[in-house]
Amino acid sequence: MLEVRGLDAFYGDARALWSIDLTVGDAEIVSVVGPNGAGKSTLVNAIAGLHRPVAGRIDIDGIDVAAVPPHRVCSYGVAVVPEGRRVFGHMSVYDNLSLGAYRRSVRPGHRAGLSRVYELFPRLRERATQLAGSLSGGEQQMLAIGRALMAAPRLLLLDEPSLGLAPIVVDEVLGAVEAINDSGVGVLLVEQDVERALDISGRAYLLVEGRVVAAGTSAELRSSDVVRRRVLGL
């Protein structure tokens, strides 16, 4: 589904990504783990079309979308849940979800999409008329994921979904991610919480200072000396 090859990206004059190679297969969960400042969010934003790379390819089903405007990337079946959730606090939960189904091609599925989201996150149904800004951090994360699902994606990009959440809420959110994947949606999960990311993904990449320094199955990375030194500090 997703194939990234030789991806380079800068922030101003600072190079953020160095020749990144990465793949996500159909209905696969793949994690990208690494410390702060590793370039993980830059990678997600580049794939989503929010940050223009200077070199490399980002193929979705064999089509290079590296130069495609952000508003068109979603038409290739990609949806992003950004770091920090970024819900529209002055709008209701229902209206936030409805924005996810803004594209004309997915509007006919609005009702079915809502039912799917409410089944996955029953609390959002209970709070449908409540302002998003009044939700707890965990509920806002559920809303951000639900909003992305309203676009009926085949590939979901998740940027630090556990950030700032209590462990029990993280379990609930990541359990929902597994359920989404079970329905056939591919997931690229970017996380600082290495253990939790490796628990739910089949494969993983370790990103350090903008470079992939280790890649393999989650079991391989869990036992990797590089991961233990660079991320876990062991």
Side-chain angles (χ1 to χ4, degrees), residues 129-171:
T129 60
Q130 192 170 323
L131 293 182
S134 67
L135 301 179
S136 69
E139 290 165 346
Q140 289 188 14
Q141 185 64 73
M142 295 172 193
L143 178 56
I145 294 172
R147 182 180 59 193
L149 289 180
M150 291 294 292
R154 294 183 300 113
L155 175 64
L156 185 64
L157 309 176
L158 286 162
D159 192 359
E160 303 284 7
S162 72
L163 188 66
L165 303 184
I168 191 171
V169 179
V170 174
D171 290 341

Side-chain angles (χ1 to χ4, degrees), residues 22 30 33 53 73 85 109 147 156:
L22 175 149
V30 175
V33 298
V73 172
R85 302 177 272 278
R147 182 180 59 193
L156 185 64

Side-chain angles (χ1 to χ4, degrees), residues 1-7 46-47 52-53 55-69 72-73 76:
M1 175 184 291
L2 171 68
E3 184 173 7
V4 176
R5 288 287 175 254
L7 194 70
I47 296 170
R52 187 61 58 86
R57 291 180 62 92
I58 302 170
D59 287 359
I60 304 292
D61 293 330
I63 300 173
D64 186 8
V65 300
V68 169
R72 288 187 51 208
V73 172
Y76 291 88

